Amino acid sequence: MRTAYQNAPDELVETPIGLMIHNDYQPRTFYPDDIYRLTNELLDRCLADLIIGRVTDENLNSGMLEILLTDLFKHDVGRAKEIAKSFLTEKVPEYGRERDKAIVVACLLANYPDNSSWSVLWSAVQQDREFGREVLESIAFQSAHHGQIEQKIKEDYLAELYIFLTQQYPEIKRPEHETQELRGIEAQILGEFDAVRMWKDYIPQRLQARGTPEACHALRKMIRKLPEQKDQLQPTLLEAESLARRNTWKPPKPEELLQIVLDQSKHLVQDGHQLLHVLIESLKRLELELQGETAACRDLWDKDKGKDNLFTPIDENAFSDYVKRFLERDLKSKGIIVNREVELRRSYGGSPGERTDIHVDAVLKHPNGDTYDSITVIVEVKGCWHSEIQTAMQSQLVERYLADNVCPYGLYLVGWFNCQQWDNEDSRKKQVPKKTLDEARIQFDEQAQRLTSPASIVRAYVLNAALR
């Protein structure tokens, strides 16, 4: 056979081409005395590489293409990928032989994944979702069991894949009153898509196992795009963040350890729980400043003109700004957190003048300044007169801010201004709950405990802002 190829290479290659075309050669058909396989085994080079460029488009069916490219992938992956990508044109064919060939090459590219090939494949999936379903259903079983796609392509592509699978293959909810016919239909649908759903369910765990900051970003993207999945994905994100920090952890420098030993106010922050603790300790220092020997609480009050010894609290936005400025001085300027850089920012709500929360980020950065790990706590600030003071911890902090920001750590800060010097003519005073400072602290602490779950870790602090 090798001698025949050396003496008459064109004739030797044209013979299996003719037989394959004549017999409509397909990959999963048994052929006795299979001329292609026999020739391929006896040659000392890949027969597919010799054949594939000689078959005209009208004669190259999807079955032949699958056989030839499968063999070529085993011998020359780079060349096979370039040929495969050439079949995924700018517009996915809508029907017929060309569409069948596009599905074949997409499946093969998925079985030999890399970022470049996946980008081409995913562009076709986004262009034609039905095409995407056909391809992903074909590879789902193998992908679910081997997980090589999750190992080879970048994390953001996996997020897009998970979002697509979730949207295209929603979980089927069992009807409350179902007939035997309905149960049969449901079983058939579930059977058809079991492999797809199984693959989809493996993706978050395989992202978590990567243990990279990029995997954490991908999981956050999945939660943002699929808010209904937050309760399911949030524990995976927390584990992924913990693993990523272990993998990227750098031991504290000797001078950092020395700072902690010499100054008990200094802290190392490795997770959101520790950042919450640091924030509450900082707010306690703010309270000491407000209520200390040279009390600063007067800064939070406006003097009523023409009324001796009567005051009104500054508005809620100004109070929030005051807290933010203190946190910047206390945490950022004084270097309370020794192993991370502290960043504080305000959010702005949708209604005119509505300024909502304070974001406190404890970050690690690359030398070029890019953040590669960030721990965030969202601080929701309320004056004690707010009309939703009793419910906003849940309705705003947990269900709005923590949900919208894919952040599980929240601090509900209440400024407690109730005192005799507060002018009774200020309408806000009548809205303050009839509680003492201590009772308010107990109430909001208990509420925070009730609202804490794996998806939302909530703490409360009632700050004494009253005049003495």
Side-chain angles (χ1 to χ4, degrees), residues 15 23 45 75 86 93 142 166 183 187 210 221 248 274 318 331 335 341 378 456 461:
T15 299
N23 293 323
R45 59 179 301 180
H75 290 84
S86 70
Q142 180 178 344
T166 301
R183 284 196 296 272
R210 282 198 171 189
K221 179 177 182 177
T248 59
Q274 293 172 346
L331 298 182
E341 182 177 334
I378 297 176
S456 302
Y461 190 79

Side-chain angles (χ1 to χ4, degrees), residues 119-134:
S119 177
V120 174
L121 186 160
W122 198 248
S123 177
V125 170
Q126 291 178 312
Q127 179 190 143
D128 186 335
R129 292 185 176 274
E130 187 56 39
F131 171 82
R133 288 173 64 97
E134 291 184 66

Side-chain angles (χ1 to χ4, degrees), residues 185-458:
I185 294 171
E186 180 186 282
Q188 181 179 355
I189 295 172
L190 286 172
E192 289 174 355
F193 300 139
D194 267 350
V196 177
R197 293 196 179 94
M198 178 172 62
W199 182 24
K200 178 201 73 175
D201 291 342
Y202 281 151
I203 291 173
Q205 284 73 33
R206 288 170 175 167
L207 266 173
Q208 173 191 318
R210 282 198 171 189
T212 63
E214 291 77 14
C216 299
H217 292 318
L219 286 163
R220 294 188 194 103
K221 179 177 182 177
M222 288 153 56
I223 294 172
R224 282 196 304 273
K225 296 287 187 179
L226 304 167
E228 71 280 3
Q229 297 266 318
K230 181 177 181 180
D231 288 346
Q232 177 182 335
L233 293 174
Q234 190 75 53
T236 306
L237 172 59
L238 293 176
E239 288 297 323
E241 289 174 334
S242 177
L243 180 58
R245 288 187 188 113
R246 288 198 296 271
N247 289 343
T248 59
W249 180 76
K250 295 180 180 178
K253 300 173 183 177
E255 57 268 26
E256 293 174 342
L257 291 174
L258 188 59
Q259 288 182 58
I260 296 170
V261 171
L262 297 177
D263 186 347
Q264 293 185 355
S265 69
K266 305 291 187 181
H267 293 272
L268 292 174
V269 170
Q270 305 289 354
D271 57 34
H273 294 277
Q274 293 172 346
L275 183 54
L276 276 169
H277 174 75
V278 168
L279 282 171
I280 290 174
E281 291 296 312
S282 182
L283 291 172
K284 288 178 180 178
R285 289 190 289 273
L286 171 57
E287 188 165 299
L288 286 174
E289 187 175 293
L290 293 174
Q291 303 297 333
E293 182 176 350
T294 307
C297 58
R298 177 65 180 82
D299 297 341
L300 301 177
W301 293 80
D302 293 324
K303 180 75 170 66
D304 277 358
K305 293 181 179 180
K307 296 182 180 180
D308 293 336
N309 300 319
L310 289 181
F311 302 82
T312 56
I314 60 176
D315 65 47
E316 201 169 72
N317 290 334
F319 173 54
S320 184
D321 285 336
Y322 186 91
V323 171
K324 177 178 177 288
R325 287 194 298 270
F326 175 83
L327 292 175
E328 285 177 332
R329 293 197 312 272
D330 190 60
L331 298 182
K332 193 170 182 178
S333 300
K334 294 182 181 178
I336 295 297
I337 299 174
V338 300
N339 63 324
R340 289 174 180 263
E341 182 177 334
V342 177
E343 297 177 349
L344 292 97
R345 51 198 165 91
R346 289 293 303 273
S347 288
Y348 294 83
S351 302
E354 180 194 3
R355 295 175 56 180
T356 54
D357 48 353
I358 304 171
H359 291 226
V360 183
D361 302 316
V363 302
L364 293 173
K365 294 187 175 182
H366 291 295
N368 65 2
D370 292 340
T371 297
Y372 69 88
D373 183 29
S374 178
I375 302 169
T376 299
V377 169
I378 297 176
V379 183
E380 172 60 7
V381 181
K382 285 283 182 281
C384 58
W385 59 85
H386 196 283
S387 59
E388 298 177 8
I389 188 70
Q390 311 273 18
T391 59
M393 188 188 304
Q394 178 174 345
S395 63
Q396 291 189 21
L397 178 60
V398 174
E399 295 178 355
R400 182 177 168 189
Y401 302 143
L402 297 188
D404 291 349
N405 288 278
V406 200
C407 167
Y409 301 103
L411 176 60
Y412 192 64
L413 173 62
V414 177
W416 200 258
F417 289 79
N418 209 10
C419 62
Q420 292 181 348
Q421 294 93 323
W422 190 347
D423 188 349
N424 289 330
E425 293 183 9
D426 184 351
S427 60
R428 295 177 295 173
K429 188 173 183 180
K430 299 174 183 177
Q431 298 175 219
V432 177
K434 305 301 181 185
K435 298 178 184 296
T436 66
L437 174 63
D438 289 338
E439 288 170 342
R441 283 175 169 165
I442 292 171
Q443 174 193 330
F444 290 116
D445 281 344
E446 290 177 348
Q447 188 179 5
Q449 290 176 12
R450 289 195 302 271
L451 292 174
T452 292
S453 68
S456 302
I457 295 88
V458 185

